[in-house]
Each structure stands twice: as structure tokens, then as C-alpha cells.
Amino acid sequence: MIQSEVRIRSFRSQPRNLRVSVMMKIEEKLAGNGSLVGKSQLPLEEKHQANDKPEANGKAKVSPKQEADEKGDTSRKSLNLYSWQEIQRHNQETDQWLVINRKVYDVTSWADRHPGGRRVLNHYAGEDATDVFRAMHLELDIARLYLKPLLIGELAPGEPSQERNKNAQLVEDFQELRRTLEAMNMFSANLGFFSLHLIQILILEVLAWLMLWHFGNGWPITICISFLLTISQAQSSFLQHDTGHLSIFKKSKWNHLMHRFVMCHLKGLSVKWWNHRHFQHHTKPNIYPKDPDIDVGPLFLVGDLQPIKYGKKKIKYIDYEKQHLYFYMGHCLGQQFLHPLFHHIWPFLWDLRNSIAHIFGQVLATCNVEQSFFNDWFTGHLNFQIEHHLFPTMPRHNYQKVAPLVRSLCAKHGLQYVNKPILKAFGDIVRSLKKSAALWMDAYYET
């Protein structure tokens, strides 16, 4: 092995003309005797250089790279063509096709290894996933490497880029809006902003422990410390949410490391558990039963479908007629446990089943709370629910800047852009829970 390496280095040190001459002799020998099995092979770069040398008859030899490119062109020309009718038949857990940029991929075998969980892919089986693919992946070049071996064909020339029930102009305008925001650097984070939030959390944690160490554990001190730690844990939730969405650093690996630190060490929760649930939420926001954030039974019944399902099956874990009261009691006692519900329950003022496009569904499935310094801090900028669901990897400090452009897009297509005062939003939680309880009661007591 060492002798082979010495020969290779010695060969590289020779003049280029001599190296080419040697290569041509070796190739002649190969042509006469077959392959040199077990012999030391020349470096690939040297072989490329030799093969690129023009022959005496004026014709250049074709390099392996050129051959690969030609084969790639041939395979692209021979891709199978599919209609939407055919693609939509492959929407089962054991048979999953999806479309990204008019390319058709069979992701059945890849689903179990998908970092965002297998259910995310299953939710888009038989559908166009172009926009959600772009929205959820930070480093697209890496993601496309995983897609390559899964490619099986493309949409037939006469087929639209999205399913026929979608508003093609709306999708096109949304994609143009994203390109505009990328050009405006709206997906670049201000590291100072997030550093201050981390410092805030650490100060609160240290202050709580210092108070406990200095003053002891009397009731007044316990109440004060509980207040400080509640704020710290809430802000930690928002910071882990930022890192989980890859919205702080430009490299995914740094976001993942920060996510583990905040989620596992500051909050004591599982990163995999959060990824499993939250990515499903963003692919199908507030659509029952695909979004686990709204499947909070048996504690609460929300929306229009879940209460009827529980009622017809005569399921009664608690008195759902009073669930709006339980919500506020539980929220005060365990804010972090009910965190997903707190941020996602008020969108049930709309019927989500009639969504006709990714953006249309995202806007209808949520609403904003009015912007203010307190509201931004108190909700971790999740008061900009619409902007966050449209652009999950965007740093939250940019939501306010892009909101006018999103509002204009909604106005152009007649979509309702809802922006509520925070107290009205809390009131809507109560009204939504009462409405769901009434649906449950009708189904439960139905004879």
C-alpha cells in the first residue's frame, strides 16, 4: 500500500506529456488484456486529464464526467410522464408519491428516515408539496440530494403544476412574494436580537436560584421564584421554537445544536417529540386529524370534527360543557403544557376544509394579534401567526416588516387577513371552546 502511494506521487511529479504517454500505453494494454484486476489504479483526476487529451485524428476522447452528463440528459428525456389522476392514487402510507417543482417522487421507502417524521410525507402523499418543501428546508441543495434517487418521473406537459382545485395565480403570486423577500434579505437573522433573548432567559434562571439560595424556600419567595421561572420557561419555549425552525443560523447544524441546548437543558423536553408534532402542524395547520397540535383530547375538544367524533362514540373523559373554564385554570397552572393549544386554538373561526392552496390554507387556518412591544414579547412574535405559517424559517424579528406585503397579497385575492386585539383573541378562545362543547353535547346526547 505504501509502495503504491510512493509510485503515485512519483508519477504525479513527472511532466504532463510523459504522464499522458504512459496513460495511453496503459489504455492500449487494457484494450488487449482486459482490466487490471488487483493492480494499483491511477488517480481519477489524472485519468480525466489523459482522457481529455485530443487524439491524433482530431477527435477528443469523452471524459467520464461528459459521459455521466450525457447519460443524465438521456435519463431526463426518458422520465415517465404522469397525470394528477395517477399521482393522487398513490396517497397511502404504503404507497406515497408527491410532486415538487413538477417532478414526481416516490417517497415510500424514504418516509421512515425523513428527519421531520414519516407522517409529514404521508400528509402530502398524492399532492403537490412544492411550497411546503421550500418553506420547511433551509439548505435546499442538501435536501435535493436526498430527492435525487427518489425521482420516478414528472408531470405530463398538459398537466398544471398544482392540483386542479388550486388557484394557480395565487400560488404563482405567493412564490413571487417569497422571491422578493429573499432578495430583501428577510430570511437573514439578527444574531444580536436572539443573543439578548438568550441572555434574558439565563438571567431569570440564575436570579431564581440565587433568591432560593439566599432567602430560603418560604411561601413569598416560592411565589416570586415561580413567577420568574414561568417567564423564563415561556421565553425558552419561543427561543427553542426559533432554533427548531432553523431561523437563527444559516447552517442547519448550528440551529440543531442550539435547539438541543435550549429544549433539552433549559426546558427538559425532547427535541424529537417537538419535531414530530410541530412539523406536522406546519404542513397541515389546524386540519384535523393531521395536525397534532389541535388533537388535545381527552383534555379538550376543539374545532368542528373532533367534538362530533367524541360525541357519537359517547366519549366523556371530563365535563366538556365546562371545558372553557378548565382551559383557563389549566393554563394558569401549567402554561407550558398547554402551550400549543394556547397559540393555535383561536383559528377555529374558519372552516378549514375548503382550502384550495397552500397559502390559502395557511391564511384561513390562523390569524394575527395586533403588534405592540408587549404583544411581541409576550407571544414570542407568534402574534404574527399568518406570516410565521407562510415563512416558517424566517427570523421572527422580520415578521412586522413583511406583514404589509402579505396583507396586500391577501387583498389582491380576496382573502381575509385577520388582525385582532389580544384581549379579543383571548375571548375568542372561550367562544371557540364553548362552540365545540355544544357540538359535542348535541352528538353525545343524540338519541
Side-chain angles (χ1 to χ4, degrees):
M1 184 69 177
I2 296 175
Q3 292 177 348
S4 299
E5 292 177 356
V6 171
R7 292 192 192 102
I8 290 172
R9 285 197 293 269
S10 175
F11 180 83
R12 286 177 171 171
S13 65
Q14 301 301 320
R16 176 180 172 84
N17 292 339
L18 179 59
R19 283 182 286 162
V20 173
S21 175
V22 172
M23 279 299 305
M24 292 178 68
K25 289 180 180 178
I26 291 176
E27 287 179 355
E28 289 174 2
K29 187 174 181 180
L30 281 172
N33 300 328
S35 62
L36 296 175
V37 180
K39 302 278 186 174
S40 297
Q41 298 295 317
L42 292 174
L44 187 59
E45 60 180 357
E46 299 294 345
K47 190 172 181 180
H48 284 188
Q49 290 173 0
N51 285 346
D52 287 339
K53 185 73 176 178
E55 292 181 336
N57 60 6
K59 294 182 180 180
K61 291 187 177 181
V62 179
S63 70
K65 183 179 186 303
Q66 290 171 322
E67 289 180 356
D69 291 341
E70 289 178 3
K71 288 180 181 178
D73 292 337
T74 303
S75 63
R76 281 192 290 270
K77 291 176 183 176
S78 61
L79 281 176
N80 293 328
L81 301 179
Y82 297 102
S83 67
W84 275 112
Q85 185 178 9
E86 168 66 16
I87 293 167
Q88 289 169 343
R89 285 200 289 265
H90 299 271
N91 63 348
Q92 304 300 316
E93 189 171 343
T94 56
D95 183 17
Q96 304 178 44
W97 291 10
L98 52 80
V99 177
I100 299 174
N101 291 321
R102 298 190 63 85
K103 302 295 184 184
V104 182
Y105 299 92
D106 184 349
V107 298
T108 309
S109 60
W110 166 246
D112 286 332
R113 292 176 289 160
H114 184 239
R118 68 186 331 271
R119 292 187 181 180
V120 172
L121 296 181
N122 184 242
H123 292 341
Y124 269 88
E127 301 178 16
D128 177 67
T130 302
D131 289 319
V132 72
F133 173 80
R134 181 67 188 86
M136 299 300 294
H137 295 90
L138 183 62
E139 297 172 284
L140 291 179
D141 291 340
I142 295 177
R144 290 188 181 110
L145 289 177
Y146 289 98
L147 282 177
K148 264 189 171 182
L150 307 178
L151 178 66
I152 60 172
E154 60 185 0
L155 290 173
E159 292 291 323
S161 295
Q162 299 86 29
E163 299 93 319
R164 297 184 185 278
N165 65 330
K166 289 186 177 180
N167 185 333
Q169 186 59 51
L170 172 58
V171 174
E172 183 180 338
D173 288 346
F174 170 68
Q175 292 172 349
E176 178 61 30
L177 172 60
R178 184 180 183 91
R179 288 190 289 269
T180 299
L181 297 179
E182 288 173 349
M184 295 169 60
N185 292 322
M186 289 294 102
F187 290 88
S188 297
N190 181 343
L191 295 182
F193 172 89
F194 292 106
S195 296
L196 288 175
H197 275 273
L198 177 59
I199 291 171
Q200 168 197 215
I201 294 167
L202 296 177
I203 288 176
L204 289 170
E205 294 276 342
V206 171
L207 184 59
W209 284 107
L210 287 176
M211 290 180 64
L212 181 64
W213 173 74
H214 189 269
F215 296 106
N217 57 356
W219 274 109
I221 298 300
T222 300
I223 293 173
C224 184
I225 289 174
S226 299
F227 178 74
L228 293 177
L229 292 179
T230 297
I231 297 175
S232 172
Q233 285 294 294
Q235 293 301 315
S236 295
S237 292
F238 301 138
L239 186 60
Q240 72 82 22
H241 181 262
D242 297 320
T243 56
H245 276 295
L246 315 177
S247 62
I248 298 181
F249 301 103
K250 292 183 179 180
K251 293 292 185 181
S252 297
K253 66 177 182 179
W254 295 113
N255 284 296
H256 291 317
L257 286 173
M258 187 66 176
H259 191 207
R260 287 184 179 277
F261 169 72
V262 178
M263 191 67 163
C264 300
H265 295 282
L266 296 184
K267 294 196 63 62
L269 296 175
S270 167
V271 167
K272 290 185 177 180
W273 167 80
W274 186 88
N275 289 341
H276 172 75
R277 294 180 62 88
H278 201 69
F279 291 156
Q280 289 186 74
H281 161 70
H282 272 273
T283 54
K284 293 292 182 179
N286 301 318
I287 296 179
Y288 181 80
K290 294 185 176 183
D291 181 358
D293 275 9
I294 63 172
D295 189 4
V296 288
L299 293 177
F300 300 97
L301 302 180
V302 295
D304 295 335
L305 301 179
Q306 189 184 31
I308 295 174
K309 175 183 175 181
Y310 271 54
K312 287 183 176 180
K313 291 185 176 181
K314 307 302 179 185
I315 298 175
K316 185 180 181 181
Y317 292 107
I318 65 171
D319 188 354
Y320 293 116
E321 300 171 47
K322 299 181 177 64
Q323 66 174 1
H324 58 288
L325 300 176
Y326 299 145
F327 169 74
Y328 276 115
M329 291 170 57
H331 183 68
C332 292
L333 295 175
Q335 188 266 349
Q336 296 311 302
F337 178 73
L338 299 176
H339 180 269
L341 179 67
F342 172 69
H343 286 292
H344 300 294
I345 196 167
W346 56 67
F348 293 101
L349 301 177
W350 297 275
D351 181 2
L352 309 180
R353 289 166 293 175
N354 296 325
S355 301
I356 61 171
H358 175 70
I359 179 176
F360 190 62
Q362 296 287 22
V363 172
L364 285 187
T366 189
C367 70
N368 284 3
V369 171
E370 290 179 349
Q371 191 275 332
S372 70
F373 178 82
F374 174 79
N375 287 353
D376 292 351
W377 173 82
F378 183 71
T379 66
H381 286 83
L382 290 178
N383 49 328
F384 290 96
Q385 281 280 291
I386 295 174
E387 286 71 25
H388 172 63
H389 279 86
L390 293 178
F391 311 108
T393 59
M394 179 179 288
R396 56 174 154 131
H397 53 70
N398 286 335
Y399 292 156
Q400 185 179 357
K401 300 175 185 177
V402 307
L405 297 177
V406 175
R407 188 190 293 267
S408 297
L409 178 65
C410 292
K412 176 181 178 181
H413 291 276
L415 300 177
Q416 192 178 24
Y417 183 100
V418 180
N419 194 26
K420 304 176 182 179
I422 192 168
L423 293 180
K424 186 178 188 304
F426 274 102
D428 286 340
I429 295 176
V430 176
R431 286 183 283 272
S432 179
L433 286 170
K434 283 185 175 180
K435 177 185 174 183
S436 298
L439 293 173
W440 172 81
M441 289 170 59
D442 290 344
Y444 186 85
Y445 294 109
E446 188 179 52
T447 56

